[in-house]
Amino acid sequence: MLFFTRGSTFISSNEIYFDILDTMRCLRKRSAVSFLGVLVVCLLFMNLYIEDGYVLEGDKQLLRETATHQLNSERYVHTFKDLSNFSGSINVSYRYLAGTPLPRKRFLTIGLSSVKRKKGNYLLETIKSIFEQSSYEELKEISVVVHLADFDSFWCEGMVQDISQKFAHHIIAGRLMVIHAPEEYYPILDGLKRNYNDPEDRVRFRSKQNVDYAFLLNFCANISDYYVMLEDDVRCSKNFLTAIKKVIASREGSYWVTLEFSKLGYIGKLYHSHDLPRLAHFLLMFYQEMPCDWLLIHFRGLLAQKDVIRFRPSLFQHMGYYSSYKGAENKLKDDDFEEDSFDIPDNPPASLYTSMNVFENYEASKAYSSIDEYFWGKAPSTGDFFMIVFEKPIKITKIKVSTGTEDRQNDILHKGALDVGEQVVGTRKGKQCTTYLRLGEFRDGNFEVSEVEHKVVFDINCMRILVTKTQKEWLIIRSISIWTSQPPNQ
């Protein structure tokens, strides 16, 4: 039995559990209580049971009965059979429509959930893009799981036939599986709360979609080390797996819950596979509250990842013209997507300095990150600089610098140049190089040069962006990308 203190009084863990249950009952009676409050209480509830790992059988039974009463659905006991284990799998019997999982774990699982659309069908093109944009070596490390989540069995059978005919060799190789979660495992989807004044059919659609994804996540929990969610109308960039592996390696030693490789919807969101059971339970708990992409924001925050970690260029692009909801037009595109984004920059370790007046917390280091953030300085003057001093001399093959943003297109470097230098010395303005070689001028706020190793005979210690004419506009340096090669003697 665990005990906690409340002031000078000792209370048992059982009392805490019942206090939480009483609090939840009160919350249901207070219509003015925000959803965020309920979310926090439920998080505490989950954490107590996950961390303590000690629950009396009587408490388990009470919690099961409470959940069943709250949701008013006997069928929902299927998904919440054991409320004390939110890290465990959900009790669902899946139908294998095509393929079977191999015993060997892969590096990455790609999950797709698909339903019948009133207009258009992009699933086959999405699967084709995944495989065509991957090399033979990359194919050995991926597994694709398609959840046909429509209750129309004739549609499911037709899709399985099409998938099996077009991708038979991938199914045989164990790279592609098609599954289905039977309707009897779904919670009630009619008469749900109409949050945000959504019409009933939209509430049903987005609530079912949350459950579709939850069942898919639950199935994929032990197939690979990492998991990325795609929608069923997506085009992939070339060698996206290699790009993802490079990003994961660059984040080694840092904490993250979600890495994002697209800024649209539920596309290109990467997770550790060990987080999938909790995410699946989370989507089921709040399936009727809000759309899945909103729930993901809460999930990330509750697991202590405060900020979005999104990488450029985007690796996945939305290609569908018609939405899966009523066939409505959906023209959303990710303007950061690049078809050939295999060549992610190296950006070797460096210190960054600037003589410009930095605005708020948009410091220099943010321009050097592949994450979706940038440097922002107040109107620069002639002679102002942005300096990168590398930890050790390097061979550079390519440099690319972009300034301004889509919503601040005039905050670019109107007149500037880029230099590289050698022989670092300390000055009052920070570390700089003693000699520089100019590689070129900025054009329309951008700079790009290739084959730098043929233009520069020395190993580079510094790279400098120099303002050559005063401007009244502020300056955003959106990204600095550097590609390197090892010196011949290494």
Side-chain angles (χ1 to χ4, degrees):
M1 177 67 69
L2 298 175
F3 291 87
F4 302 85
T5 59
R6 179 185 295 160
S8 60
T9 304
F10 284 85
I11 59 173
S12 71
S13 56
N14 285 348
E15 291 176 299
I16 293 177
Y17 302 149
F18 284 109
D19 285 346
I20 293 173
L21 289 174
D22 289 337
T23 302
M24 293 176 69
R25 293 189 187 100
C26 292
L27 287 174
R28 293 202 306 272
K29 298 177 182 178
R30 300 176 185 173
S31 59
V33 175
S34 68
F35 169 69
L36 182 59
V38 177
L39 203 60
V40 170
V41 170
C42 288
L43 179 68
L44 292 173
F45 170 78
M46 282 192 294
N47 283 344
L48 279 170
Y49 277 84
I50 293 171
E51 296 294 331
D52 289 349
Y54 180 84
V55 186
L56 296 178
E57 287 302 318
D59 294 332
K60 289 184 180 179
Q61 182 61 33
L62 176 61
L63 290 170
R64 292 192 194 102
E65 293 171 357
T66 302
T68 305
H69 174 72
Q70 288 174 342
L71 296 168
N72 193 28
S73 169
E74 291 182 1
R75 287 186 297 167
Y76 207 69
V77 178
H78 283 296
T79 56
F80 281 135
K81 188 174 181 180
D82 186 3
L83 290 176
S84 68
N85 187 5
F86 283 91
S87 60
S89 62
I90 297 164
N91 185 23
V92 179
S93 296
Y94 298 90
R95 290 180 58 203
Y96 284 77
L97 304 183
T100 56
L102 293 181
R104 181 180 66 85
K105 263 194 172 185
R106 305 296 175 94
F107 180 83
L108 180 71
T109 297
I110 301 158
L112 306 167
S113 182
S114 186
V115 295
K116 181 171 61 176
R117 294 170 180 259
K118 290 190 175 181
K119 293 183 179 179
N121 190 301
Y122 312 97
L123 177 59
L124 297 177
E125 285 300 310
T126 299
I127 299 172
K128 179 182 177 183
S129 179
I130 292 171
F131 292 133
E132 284 192 347
Q133 297 291 62
S134 302
S135 68
Y136 176 72
E137 292 301 317
E138 288 171 328
L139 288 175
K140 295 178 182 178
E141 299 190 73
I142 67 173
S143 179
V144 180
V145 178
V146 178
H147 179 205
L148 295 183
D150 206 280
F151 297 151
D152 184 339
S153 59
F154 293 104
W155 177 84
C156 289
E157 289 172 5
M159 285 306 306
V160 170
Q161 289 179 7
D162 290 341
I163 293 171
S164 298
Q165 289 173 2
K166 293 181 182 294
F167 307 105
H169 60 295
H170 293 295
I171 294 173
I172 295 170
R175 286 189 289 268
L176 175 61
M177 288 175 283
V178 183
I179 63 169
H180 175 74
E183 185 176 1
E184 60 262 26
Y185 288 96
Y186 278 72
I188 286 178
L189 296 172
D190 296 315
L192 303 177
K193 295 190 300 182
R194 292 179 58 189
N195 293 344
Y196 320 110
N197 202 33
D198 281 346
E200 287 189 17
D201 59 344
R202 186 171 186 85
V203 172
R204 176 187 170 86
F205 173 82
R206 61 173 171 78
S207 298
K208 179 184 177 296
Q209 188 177 57
N210 284 333
V211 183
D212 295 342
Y213 284 135
F215 289 159
L216 174 59
L217 292 164
N218 180 66
F219 180 86
C220 295
N222 296 309
I223 297 175
S224 60
D225 298 320
Y226 298 94
Y227 174 89
V228 67
M229 177 65 79
L230 298 185
E231 294 179 0
D232 63 351
D233 53 354
V234 169
R235 188 168 82 252
C236 307
S237 68
K238 189 73 174 175
N239 300 112
F240 64 88
L241 174 65
T242 300
I244 288 174
K245 291 181 72 174
K246 193 170 185 178
V247 167
I248 291 173
S250 73
R251 304 291 299 183
E252 186 176 359
S254 65
Y255 177 77
W256 59 271
V257 177
T258 310
L259 302 182
E260 302 189 11
F261 295 91
S262 171
K263 63 183 179 182
L264 300 178
Y266 205 168
I267 298 174
K269 306 304 184 280
L270 182 80
Y271 300 90
H272 298 277
S273 289
H274 61 69
D275 281 333
L276 297 186
R278 278 195 291 184
L279 179 54
H281 281 291
F282 185 81
L283 290 175
L284 282 175
M285 287 183 70
F286 302 105
Y287 77 103
Q288 64 174 308
E289 300 296 341
M290 59 182 66
C292 56
D293 47 343
W294 294 9
L295 284 173
L296 292 182
I297 297 172
H298 289 289
F299 181 79
R300 184 195 72 223
L302 289 168
L303 291 186
Q305 180 187 317
K306 180 181 178 182
D307 300 317
V308 173
I309 305 176
R310 186 170 74 83
F311 292 86
R312 295 191 306 257
S314 296
L315 301 180
F316 307 100
Q317 177 67 286
H318 178 261
M319 68 175 176
Y321 185 79
Y322 296 106
S323 168
S324 53
Y325 172 65
K326 284 190 169 182
E329 290 186 3
N330 184 358
K331 301 178 182 179
L332 287 176
K333 296 294 179 185
D334 189 336
D335 52 10
D336 287 330
F337 173 76
E338 292 184 11
E339 188 81 29
D340 296 311
S341 59
F342 166 72
D343 198 17
I344 287 184
D346 300 296
N347 283 18
S351 300
L352 287 84
Y353 310 91
T354 182
S355 62
M356 291 176 246
N357 188 358
V358 180
F359 176 62
E360 293 185 350
N361 64 337
Y362 293 87
E363 59 263 17
S365 61
K366 293 191 173 182
Y368 197 57
S369 169
S370 59
I371 300 174
D372 190 23
E373 51 189 12
Y374 51 81
F375 162 80
W376 200 2
K378 297 182 180 179
S381 303
T382 302
D384 275 339
F385 62 85
F386 187 103
M387 180 71 63
I388 301 175
V389 180
F390 303 107
E391 287 187 1
K392 60 182 181 180
I394 59 172
K395 293 282 189 184
I396 293 180
T397 59
K398 180 181 174 183
I399 299 170
K400 183 177 180 181
V401 181
S402 301
T403 68
T405 61
E406 185 179 359
D407 57 342
R408 295 187 178 274
Q409 298 182 15
N410 213 31
D411 284 5
I412 63 173
L413 182 54
H414 294 273
K415 295 290 181 179
L418 190 139
D419 306 326
V420 292
E422 60 178 339
Q423 298 179 1
V424 178
V425 295
T427 71
R428 289 183 304 164
K429 297 181 179 180
K431 292 182 179 180
Q432 298 192 31
C433 282
T434 56
T435 57
Y436 289 95
L437 173 68
R438 181 148 297 178
L439 291 182
E441 309 285 332
F442 277 73
R443 296 284 183 268
D444 299 321
N446 298 312
F447 179 91
E448 184 170 356
V449 60
S450 300
E451 300 183 340
V452 177
E453 72 276 19
H454 300 311
K455 300 177 175 68
V456 181
V457 297
F458 53 84
D459 290 349
I460 296 171
N461 290 94
C462 305
M463 193 180 92
R464 179 178 69 179
I465 298 171
L466 188 66
V467 179
T468 56
K469 184 178 180 180
T470 299
Q471 62 184 58
K472 63 180 180 179
E473 297 84 6
W474 289 18
L475 172 61
I476 290 175
I477 301 180
R478 186 169 77 251
S479 63
I480 299 172
S481 302
I482 298 173
W483 290 260
T484 66
S485 64
Q486 290 295 326
N489 62 342
Q490 294 189 7

